[in-house]
Amino acid sequence: MTMKRMKTLLAVACLACGGTAVFPAEEQPLYRNPSESVEVRVADLLSRMTLQEKILQLNQYILGENSNVNNIGEINSSFIPGLGSYIYFNSDARLRNEIQRKELEVSRLGIPLLFGFDVIHGFRTIFPIPLAQSCSWNADLVRQSCAVAAREARMSGVDWTFSPMIDVARDGRWGRVAEGYGEDPYTNGVFAVAAVQGYQGDSLTGSGSVAACLKHYVGYGMSQGGRDYEATDISAQALWDTYLIPYEMGIRAGAATLMSAFNDIGGTPATANHYLLTEVLRNKWGFSGVVVTDWNAVEQLMSQGVAADRKEAACKAFMAGADLDMKDFCFKDHLEALVTEGKVPLARIDSAVARILALKFRLGLFEQPYTVEVPDAKRVLLPAYKEVCRQLAEESMVLLKNEAGTLPLRKKNVAVIGPMADDRENLLGSWSAQGRVEDVEGSIYENLRAELGPEARVTYARGCAFDGTDRSGFREARKVARKADVVVVCLGEKKSWSGENASRSTLALPAIQEELLAEVAKEGKPVVLVLSNGRPLELCRVEPLCDAIVEMWQPGIVGGKALAGILSGRVNPSGKLAITFPWFTGQIPLYYNSRQSARPLQGKYQDQPTVPLYEFGHGLSYTSFEYGDLQLSADTIRRGEKLKVEVRVTNTGKVDGKETVHWFVRDPVCSIARPVKELKCFEKRTIRQGESQTFCFEIDPERDLSFVDSDGNRFLEPGTYYVMVKDKRVCIELLE
Ligand code: BGC
């Protein structure tokens, strides 16, 4: 055996026992040296790789048992040497470590694998769904929840989450509305930043962080008719002033990766869109992270009719700017031939590989390819994690209606009725990663009993299932209601009714649930409706029958307790809607920041209301807040200057409460029609009973008064602007 061969074997053996090859000092390659910069390490490693090795890095496959609703049950435990990445479905690190070890045993250069997973609202500690989270208006809590999710995931073998989803979504029929932060671009942007900070922390290295992924770039929330995977038609103007906004904010916050979407925009699929993936993302915004395609999105270019075969699909997606091919192996199977044919330049291969390697270096995978295996009890569901979960659940629930102070409950003889009343599973919510029913800390009924204590009488009847036509439980439900002083009716959606591939044609609850409510209401007792769902609902037939309504969303593992606290008054509700509730499904699209109408007083529906039932920002409290007039530090402003607007908010009720102030801006006259109002800033604070606090919005004209045109250029036009909070409004003049 030659000396050289022996050294290679030694290096390989060392990689196998920990991935840190020990080269004799003079032969230690630069890329192995953690004190070198990521750039130097990437360049060095790249220079040593063959084309085949590079191309394999550009592919991702699956490992373990898939829990994605779309492909449920699919299992893979096979290992493809040299591949760049896997989606890791298992709940602990064992299989990851096993496959990582196999990889490092055969990898000529010791390149570790990267493992990703959809950690959407928690890994094992399941938080409220993102749509609910945005209703908390508490970005710091959302950041904390993502930090918890990151720690649990990383310690379980996951380096990278495919989250946050920041598709502005204005059509509740689309099942994935549950996965994002609602209808407003700025709100999605603020929570994107919070999520990126929470997932990634200060550094990607170590057991406390995972790489974040902004998805689905872009426009996926506009699937026609709310039908998943459909085409979208988005004007260049709307693309820039609405759909791209959160992505730009997330990228500025340092998101490590981004996922291209399934949909096409005006005929060009997002995964083959050079303008979006290269001109905007790379050239304009300077994004240097990894672009992963969505699941099979390369191959799907054939279904979308823009590629005749997998090879053409690979060429289009790759040359548009996608780096990593999720699941369908189009890159693996065709990039080499495309390079040979001169259709794909080597430099493009190198730039994609360099980004994937850089991510692996940043995650510290070359130094620490294995996950330290720790038992569940030390890794997931820790009390501190559940505490964040509790707070977020409490703050995200929205009190939609409360006639005559029905809530908090004063009576101790309570009937809890409905398909959601004693259900644990659906509290987990849509796409709940490794969440388990047994982790859910009690149903609504169980928690309310515990909350109200032994002196209360809390009875239960299911009444009916989530859907179907079986009315046989109605009689028992009425009987239970008759004997109670107040009835809490718990209706809603199963968790599988939201998420991917879970569109619905209507926002209405199934008729059987509406009927149950109507039956129970006949008993004449005060009715509190509790809703658990993943989208805004059509409540027109339901709302008049209720004295109070609480939207609890799909609140995660401690949601039952959070709700019980709100019902009893131990917790004062503070959530406000981040998405509009229309009266009727037929009003869709209906969102607060539509552009100004040509005839604002006309054009209404003749048969139904045109305004929403509950508008964006709506949410009640057990206390009352009074707003003073808006105070300006000056009423004129020039470019480069700042101006302050303040509002004094007083808690005039009988209990402490949390209030969110939403600051809107309107540009009444501009060279293009602008929205009736646009959210530019929000802040949530606790205000004690009787206390007044001053909230302040510092206006930066370039940021807050400008608009972006259909080419993505920002303009700032002199003139009058309105600043608005609730029904208060002031004018400011931007001078030439
Ligand atoms: C979804 C993505 C997800 C991916 C991987 C796709 O079907 O659209 O959101 O990240 O699967 O699970």
Side-chain angles (χ1 to χ4, degrees), residues 40-67:
V40 167
R41 299 180 80 184
V42 167
D44 179 59
L45 179 51
L46 207 55
S47 72
R48 296 166 190 267
M49 293 171 75
T50 64
L51 178 60
Q52 290 78 3
E53 283 169 339
K54 289 177 184 172
I55 288 173
L56 278 171
Q57 285 297 314
L58 306 178
N59 294 272
Q60 180 175 61
Y61 200 54
I62 52 176
L63 186 64
E65 184 165 358
N66 191 356
S67 55

PDB file of all heavy atoms in Angstrom, residues 40-67:
ATOM      1  N   VAL A  40     -13.661  30.661   2.259  1.00  0.00           N
ATOM      2  CA  VAL A  40     -12.410  29.961   1.939  1.00  0.00           C
ATOM      3  C   VAL A  40     -12.651  28.450   1.951  1.00  0.00           C
ATOM      4  O   VAL A  40     -12.215  27.718   1.061  1.00  0.00           O
ATOM      5  CB  VAL A  40     -11.299  30.348   2.955  1.00  0.00           C
ATOM      6  CG1 VAL A  40     -10.104  29.412   2.847  1.00  0.00           C
ATOM      7  CG2 VAL A  40     -10.884  31.797   2.747  1.00  0.00           C
ATOM      8  N   ARG A  41     -13.389  27.989   2.930  1.00  0.00           N
ATOM      9  CA  ARG A  41     -13.634  26.552   3.046  1.00  0.00           C
ATOM     10  C   ARG A  41     -14.452  26.053   1.854  1.00  0.00           C
ATOM     11  O   ARG A  41     -14.154  25.003   1.284  1.00  0.00           O
ATOM     12  CB  ARG A  41     -14.368  26.243   4.364  1.00  0.00           C
ATOM     13  CG  ARG A  41     -13.560  26.640   5.589  1.00  0.00           C
ATOM     14  CD  ARG A  41     -14.298  26.328   6.877  1.00  0.00           C
ATOM     15  NE  ARG A  41     -14.191  24.918   7.229  1.00  0.00           N
ATOM     16  CZ  ARG A  41     -14.810  24.368   8.275  1.00  0.00           C
ATOM     17  NH1 ARG A  41     -15.609  25.105   9.043  1.00  0.00           N
ATOM     18  NH2 ARG A  41     -14.653  23.100   8.546  1.00  0.00           N
ATOM     19  N   VAL A  42     -15.457  26.832   1.478  1.00  0.00           N
ATOM     20  CA  VAL A  42     -16.300  26.432   0.343  1.00  0.00           C
ATOM     21  C   VAL A  42     -15.457  26.367  -0.931  1.00  0.00           C
ATOM     22  O   VAL A  42     -15.496  25.378  -1.677  1.00  0.00           O
ATOM     23  CB  VAL A  42     -17.475  27.414   0.167  1.00  0.00           C
ATOM     24  CG1 VAL A  42     -18.164  27.208  -1.176  1.00  0.00           C
ATOM     25  CG2 VAL A  42     -18.482  27.252   1.297  1.00  0.00           C
ATOM     26  N   ALA A  43     -14.659  27.402  -1.174  1.00  0.00           N
ATOM     27  CA  ALA A  43     -13.868  27.454  -2.411  1.00  0.00           C
ATOM     28  C   ALA A  43     -12.899  26.272  -2.454  1.00  0.00           C
ATOM     29  O   ALA A  43     -12.724  25.627  -3.499  1.00  0.00           O
ATOM     30  CB  ALA A  43     -13.117  28.783  -2.488  1.00  0.00           C
ATOM     31  N   ASP A  44     -12.293  25.975  -1.323  1.00  0.00           N
ATOM     32  CA  ASP A  44     -11.331  24.878  -1.283  1.00  0.00           C
ATOM     33  C   ASP A  44     -12.015  23.540  -1.559  1.00  0.00           C
ATOM     34  O   ASP A  44     -11.546  22.747  -2.385  1.00  0.00           O
ATOM     35  CB  ASP A  44     -10.652  24.854   0.095  1.00  0.00           C
ATOM     36  CG  ASP A  44      -9.664  23.726   0.196  1.00  0.00           C
ATOM     37  OD1 ASP A  44      -8.719  23.688  -0.631  1.00  0.00           O
ATOM     38  OD2 ASP A  44      -9.838  22.853   1.075  1.00  0.00           O
ATOM     39  N   LEU A  45     -13.141  23.329  -0.901  1.00  0.00           N
ATOM     40  CA  LEU A  45     -13.836  22.051  -1.077  1.00  0.00           C
ATOM     41  C   LEU A  45     -14.339  21.900  -2.514  1.00  0.00           C
ATOM     42  O   LEU A  45     -14.178  20.847  -3.139  1.00  0.00           O
ATOM     43  CB  LEU A  45     -14.991  21.957  -0.068  1.00  0.00           C
ATOM     44  CG  LEU A  45     -15.854  20.703  -0.117  1.00  0.00           C
ATOM     45  CD1 LEU A  45     -15.014  19.433  -0.081  1.00  0.00           C
ATOM     46  CD2 LEU A  45     -16.844  20.685   1.050  1.00  0.00           C
ATOM     47  N   LEU A  46     -14.899  22.969  -3.002  1.00  0.00           N
ATOM     48  CA  LEU A  46     -15.428  22.958  -4.373  1.00  0.00           C
ATOM     49  C   LEU A  46     -14.331  22.573  -5.369  1.00  0.00           C
ATOM     50  O   LEU A  46     -14.565  21.812  -6.317  1.00  0.00           O
ATOM     51  CB  LEU A  46     -15.980  24.356  -4.678  1.00  0.00           C
ATOM     52  CG  LEU A  46     -17.084  24.502  -5.703  1.00  0.00           C
ATOM     53  CD1 LEU A  46     -18.280  23.619  -5.372  1.00  0.00           C
ATOM     54  CD2 LEU A  46     -17.532  25.969  -5.749  1.00  0.00           C
ATOM     55  N   SER A  47     -13.139  23.088  -5.142  1.00  0.00           N
ATOM     56  CA  SER A  47     -12.037  22.842  -6.084  1.00  0.00           C
ATOM     57  C   SER A  47     -11.620  21.364  -6.087  1.00  0.00           C
ATOM     58  O   SER A  47     -10.933  20.910  -6.983  1.00  0.00           O
ATOM     59  CB  SER A  47     -10.840  23.722  -5.725  1.00  0.00           C
ATOM     60  OG  SER A  47     -10.241  23.222  -4.533  1.00  0.00           O
ATOM     61  N   ARG A  48     -12.017  20.633  -5.065  1.00  0.00           N
ATOM     62  CA  ARG A  48     -11.629  19.220  -4.978  1.00  0.00           C
ATOM     63  C   ARG A  48     -12.719  18.283  -5.487  1.00  0.00           C
ATOM     64  O   ARG A  48     -12.528  17.079  -5.537  1.00  0.00           O
ATOM     65  CB  ARG A  48     -11.349  18.858  -3.505  1.00  0.00           C
ATOM     66  CG  ARG A  48     -10.187  19.607  -2.915  1.00  0.00           C
ATOM     67  CD  ARG A  48     -10.186  19.476  -1.393  1.00  0.00           C
ATOM     68  NE  ARG A  48      -9.202  20.387  -0.836  1.00  0.00           N
ATOM     69  CZ  ARG A  48      -7.935  20.060  -0.561  1.00  0.00           C
ATOM     70  NH1 ARG A  48      -7.519  18.834  -0.751  1.00  0.00           N
ATOM     71  NH2 ARG A  48      -7.102  20.965  -0.083  1.00  0.00           N
ATOM     72  N   MET A  49     -13.893  18.823  -5.806  1.00  0.00           N
ATOM     73  CA  MET A  49     -15.027  17.949  -6.129  1.00  0.00           C
ATOM     74  C   MET A  49     -15.130  17.660  -7.621  1.00  0.00           C
ATOM     75  O   MET A  49     -14.858  18.522  -8.457  1.00  0.00           O
ATOM     76  CB  MET A  49     -16.348  18.607  -5.655  1.00  0.00           C
ATOM     77  CG  MET A  49     -16.450  18.706  -4.149  1.00  0.00           C
ATOM     78  SD  MET A  49     -17.872  19.702  -3.617  1.00  0.00           S
ATOM     79  CE  MET A  49     -19.225  18.582  -3.919  1.00  0.00           C
ATOM     80  N   THR A  50     -15.588  16.464  -7.932  1.00  0.00           N
ATOM     81  CA  THR A  50     -15.867  16.126  -9.331  1.00  0.00           C
ATOM     82  C   THR A  50     -17.258  16.664  -9.693  1.00  0.00           C
ATOM     83  O   THR A  50     -18.065  16.974  -8.792  1.00  0.00           O
ATOM     84  CB  THR A  50     -15.889  14.597  -9.533  1.00  0.00           C
ATOM     85  OG1 THR A  50     -16.993  14.078  -8.768  1.00  0.00           O
ATOM     86  CG2 THR A  50     -14.586  13.964  -9.084  1.00  0.00           C
ATOM     87  N   LEU A  51     -17.547  16.715 -10.976  1.00  0.00           N
ATOM     88  CA  LEU A  51     -18.868  17.188 -11.407  1.00  0.00           C
ATOM     89  C   LEU A  51     -19.976  16.297 -10.826  1.00  0.00           C
ATOM     90  O   LEU A  51     -20.994  16.792 -10.341  1.00  0.00           O
ATOM     91  CB  LEU A  51     -18.947  17.201 -12.941  1.00  0.00           C
ATOM     92  CG  LEU A  51     -20.296  17.629 -13.522  1.00  0.00           C
ATOM     93  CD1 LEU A  51     -20.679  19.045 -13.078  1.00  0.00           C
ATOM     94  CD2 LEU A  51     -20.293  17.546 -15.049  1.00  0.00           C
ATOM     95  N   GLN A  52     -19.754  14.999 -10.826  1.00  0.00           N
ATOM     96  CA  GLN A  52     -20.784  14.081 -10.305  1.00  0.00           C
ATOM     97  C   GLN A  52     -21.022  14.345  -8.816  1.00  0.00           C
ATOM     98  O   GLN A  52     -22.158  14.356  -8.345  1.00  0.00           O
ATOM     99  CB  GLN A  52     -20.376  12.612 -10.490  1.00  0.00           C
ATOM    100  CG  GLN A  52     -20.388  12.119 -11.922  1.00  0.00           C
ATOM    101  CD  GLN A  52     -19.159  12.574 -12.715  1.00  0.00           C
ATOM    102  OE1 GLN A  52     -18.248  13.221 -12.176  1.00  0.00           O
ATOM    103  NE2 GLN A  52     -19.150  12.274 -13.998  1.00  0.00           N
ATOM    104  N   GLU A  53     -19.945  14.562  -8.089  1.00  0.00           N
ATOM    105  CA  GLU A  53     -20.095  14.836  -6.652  1.00  0.00           C
ATOM    106  C   GLU A  53     -20.873  16.139  -6.443  1.00  0.00           C
ATOM    107  O   GLU A  53     -21.717  16.235  -5.550  1.00  0.00           O
ATOM    108  CB  GLU A  53     -18.720  14.943  -5.982  1.00  0.00           C
ATOM    109  CG  GLU A  53     -18.059  13.595  -5.743  1.00  0.00           C
ATOM    110  CD  GLU A  53     -16.593  13.698  -5.320  1.00  0.00           C
ATOM    111  OE1 GLU A  53     -15.946  14.742  -5.577  1.00  0.00           O
ATOM    112  OE2 GLU A  53     -16.088  12.727  -4.743  1.00  0.00           O
ATOM    113  N   LYS A  54     -20.586  17.096  -7.280  1.00  0.00           N
ATOM    114  CA  LYS A  54     -21.289  18.384  -7.150  1.00  0.00           C
ATOM    115  C   LYS A  54     -22.783  18.202  -7.419  1.00  0.00           C
ATOM    116  O   LYS A  54     -23.629  18.676  -6.663  1.00  0.00           O
ATOM    117  CB  LYS A  54     -20.712  19.398  -8.141  1.00  0.00           C
ATOM    118  CG  LYS A  54     -19.316  19.887  -7.788  1.00  0.00           C
ATOM    119  CD  LYS A  54     -18.791  20.826  -8.863  1.00  0.00           C
ATOM    120  CE  LYS A  54     -17.358  21.244  -8.570  1.00  0.00           C
ATOM    121  NZ  LYS A  54     -16.753  21.998  -9.679  1.00  0.00           N
ATOM    122  N   ILE A  55     -23.083  17.498  -8.497  1.00  0.00           N
ATOM    123  CA  ILE A  55     -24.500  17.371  -8.883  1.00  0.00           C
ATOM    124  C   ILE A  55     -25.302  16.627  -7.806  1.00  0.00           C
ATOM    125  O   ILE A  55     -26.433  17.003  -7.504  1.00  0.00           O
ATOM    126  CB  ILE A  55     -24.621  16.707 -10.270  1.00  0.00           C
ATOM    127  CG1 ILE A  55     -24.157  17.714 -11.327  1.00  0.00           C
ATOM    128  CG2 ILE A  55     -26.056  16.254 -10.553  1.00  0.00           C
ATOM    129  CD1 ILE A  55     -24.041  17.173 -12.728  1.00  0.00           C
ATOM    130  N   LEU A  56     -24.698  15.631  -7.197  1.00  0.00           N
ATOM    131  CA  LEU A  56     -25.426  14.909  -6.139  1.00  0.00           C
ATOM    132  C   LEU A  56     -25.792  15.830  -4.974  1.00  0.00           C
ATOM    133  O   LEU A  56     -26.829  15.678  -4.337  1.00  0.00           O
ATOM    134  CB  LEU A  56     -24.582  13.733  -5.637  1.00  0.00           C
ATOM    135  CG  LEU A  56     -24.661  12.477  -6.510  1.00  0.00           C
ATOM    136  CD1 LEU A  56     -23.628  11.448  -6.064  1.00  0.00           C
ATOM    137  CD2 LEU A  56     -26.066  11.868  -6.460  1.00  0.00           C
ATOM    138  N   GLN A  57     -24.925  16.807  -4.713  1.00  0.00           N
ATOM    139  CA  GLN A  57     -25.215  17.752  -3.623  1.00  0.00           C
ATOM    140  C   GLN A  57     -26.493  18.546  -3.878  1.00  0.00           C
ATOM    141  O   GLN A  57     -27.087  19.104  -2.968  1.00  0.00           O
ATOM    142  CB  GLN A  57     -24.054  18.746  -3.447  1.00  0.00           C
ATOM    143  CG  GLN A  57     -22.827  18.175  -2.769  1.00  0.00           C
ATOM    144  CD  GLN A  57     -23.100  17.720  -1.341  1.00  0.00           C
ATOM    145  OE1 GLN A  57     -23.729  18.409  -0.561  1.00  0.00           O
ATOM    146  NE2 GLN A  57     -22.634  16.518  -1.015  1.00  0.00           N
ATOM    147  N   LEU A  58     -26.912  18.609  -5.123  1.00  0.00           N
ATOM    148  CA  LEU A  58     -28.042  19.472  -5.492  1.00  0.00           C
ATOM    149  C   LEU A  58     -29.388  18.749  -5.401  1.00  0.00           C
ATOM    150  O   LEU A  58     -30.377  19.208  -5.964  1.00  0.00           O
ATOM    151  CB  LEU A  58     -27.846  19.994  -6.921  1.00  0.00           C
ATOM    152  CG  LEU A  58     -26.510  20.698  -7.182  1.00  0.00           C
ATOM    153  CD1 LEU A  58     -26.401  21.117  -8.637  1.00  0.00           C
ATOM    154  CD2 LEU A  58     -26.378  21.919  -6.280  1.00  0.00           C
ATOM    155  N   ASN A  59     -29.394  17.624  -4.705  1.00  0.00           N
ATOM    156  CA  ASN A  59     -30.629  16.830  -4.621  1.00  0.00           C
ATOM    157  C   ASN A  59     -30.985  16.502  -3.190  1.00  0.00           C
ATOM    158  O   ASN A  59     -30.113  16.265  -2.362  1.00  0.00           O
ATOM    159  CB  ASN A  59     -30.456  15.520  -5.399  1.00  0.00           C
ATOM    160  CG  ASN A  59     -30.293  15.790  -6.880  1.00  0.00           C
ATOM    161  OD1 ASN A  59     -31.265  15.869  -7.617  1.00  0.00           O
ATOM    162  ND2 ASN A  59     -29.051  15.967  -7.304  1.00  0.00           N
ATOM    163  N   GLN A  60     -32.302  16.444  -2.970  1.00  0.00           N
ATOM    164  CA  GLN A  60     -32.804  16.090  -1.643  1.00  0.00           C
ATOM    165  C   GLN A  60     -33.784  14.934  -1.794  1.00  0.00           C
ATOM    166  O   GLN A  60     -34.610  14.934  -2.709  1.00  0.00           O
ATOM    167  CB  GLN A  60     -33.524  17.296  -1.045  1.00  0.00           C
ATOM    168  CG  GLN A  60     -34.077  17.044   0.337  1.00  0.00           C
ATOM    169  CD  GLN A  60     -34.679  18.307   0.929  1.00  0.00           C
ATOM    170  OE1 GLN A  60     -35.620  18.859   0.379  1.00  0.00           O
ATOM    171  NE2 GLN A  60     -34.148  18.767   2.041  1.00  0.00           N
ATOM    172  N   TYR A  61     -33.681  13.959  -0.883  1.00  0.00           N
ATOM    173  CA  TYR A  61     -34.639  12.862  -0.891  1.00  0.00           C
ATOM    174  C   TYR A  61     -35.246  12.739   0.494  1.00  0.00           C
ATOM    175  O   TYR A  61     -35.006  13.583   1.370  1.00  0.00           O
ATOM    176  CB  TYR A  61     -33.964  11.570  -1.374  1.00  0.00           C
ATOM    177  CG  TYR A  61     -34.982  10.567  -1.857  1.00  0.00           C
ATOM    178  CD1 TYR A  61     -35.914  10.907  -2.836  1.00  0.00           C
ATOM    179  CD2 TYR A  61     -35.040   9.298  -1.315  1.00  0.00           C
ATOM    180  CE1 TYR A  61     -36.888   9.998  -3.255  1.00  0.00           C
ATOM    181  CE2 TYR A  61     -36.004   8.381  -1.735  1.00  0.00           C
ATOM    182  CZ  TYR A  61     -36.925   8.750  -2.697  1.00  0.00           C
ATOM    183  OH  TYR A  61     -37.884   7.850  -3.097  1.00  0.00           O
ATOM    184  N   ILE A  62     -36.054  11.697   0.700  1.00  0.00           N
ATOM    185  CA  ILE A  62     -36.755  11.566   1.976  1.00  0.00           C
ATOM    186  C   ILE A  62     -36.167  10.421   2.787  1.00  0.00           C
ATOM    187  O   ILE A  62     -35.634   9.466   2.232  1.00  0.00           O
ATOM    188  CB  ILE A  62     -38.266  11.343   1.767  1.00  0.00           C
ATOM    189  CG1 ILE A  62     -38.521  10.181   0.802  1.00  0.00           C
ATOM    190  CG2 ILE A  62     -38.917  12.603   1.258  1.00  0.00           C
ATOM    191  CD1 ILE A  62     -39.995   9.840   0.639  1.00  0.00           C
ATOM    192  N   LEU A  63     -36.332  10.528   4.073  1.00  0.00           N
ATOM    193  CA  LEU A  63     -35.806   9.498   4.966  1.00  0.00           C
ATOM    194  C   LEU A  63     -36.762   9.318   6.142  1.00  0.00           C
ATOM    195  O   LEU A  63     -37.116  10.286   6.820  1.00  0.00           O
ATOM    196  CB  LEU A  63     -34.432   9.945   5.486  1.00  0.00           C
ATOM    197  CG  LEU A  63     -33.666   8.919   6.316  1.00  0.00           C
ATOM    198  CD1 LEU A  63     -33.310   7.695   5.485  1.00  0.00           C
ATOM    199  CD2 LEU A  63     -32.391   9.548   6.875  1.00  0.00           C
ATOM    200  N   GLY A  64     -37.162   8.048   6.369  1.00  0.00           N
ATOM    201  CA  GLY A  64     -38.090   7.773   7.473  1.00  0.00           C
ATOM    202  C   GLY A  64     -39.505   7.692   6.950  1.00  0.00           C
ATOM    203  O   GLY A  64     -39.745   7.555   5.750  1.00  0.00           O
ATOM    204  N   GLU A  65     -40.472   7.827   7.861  1.00  0.00           N
ATOM    205  CA  GLU A  65     -41.873   7.689   7.460  1.00  0.00           C
ATOM    206  C   GLU A  65     -42.537   9.051   7.346  1.00  0.00           C
ATOM    207  O   GLU A  65     -42.599   9.816   8.306  1.00  0.00           O
ATOM    208  CB  GLU A  65     -42.646   6.828   8.461  1.00  0.00           C
ATOM    209  CG  GLU A  65     -44.068   6.621   7.988  1.00  0.00           C
ATOM    210  CD  GLU A  65     -44.793   5.503   8.731  1.00  0.00           C
ATOM    211  OE1 GLU A  65     -44.168   4.863   9.596  1.00  0.00           O
ATOM    212  OE2 GLU A  65     -45.972   5.294   8.454  1.00  0.00           O
ATOM    213  N   ASN A  66     -43.046   9.309   6.163  1.00  0.00           N
ATOM    214  CA  ASN A  66     -43.596  10.628   5.846  1.00  0.00           C
ATOM    215  C   ASN A  66     -44.940  10.872   6.531  1.00  0.00           C
ATOM    216  O   ASN A  66     -45.843  10.059   6.452  1.00  0.00           O
ATOM    217  CB  ASN A  66     -43.794  10.704   4.334  1.00  0.00           C
ATOM    218  CG  ASN A  66     -44.109  12.095   3.867  1.00  0.00           C
ATOM    219  OD1 ASN A  66     -44.260  12.998   4.673  1.00  0.00           O
ATOM    220  ND2 ASN A  66     -44.193  12.274   2.573  1.00  0.00           N
ATOM    221  N   SER A  67     -45.070  12.044   7.170  1.00  0.00           N
ATOM    222  CA  SER A  67     -46.356  12.376   7.779  1.00  0.00           C
ATOM    223  C   SER A  67     -47.026  13.539   7.054  1.00  0.00           C
ATOM    224  O   SER A  67     -48.018  14.076   7.510  1.00  0.00           O
ATOM    225  CB  SER A  67     -46.160  12.733   9.258  1.00  0.00           C
ATOM    226  OG  SER A  67     -45.209  13.771   9.352  1.00  0.00           O
TER     227      SER A  67
END
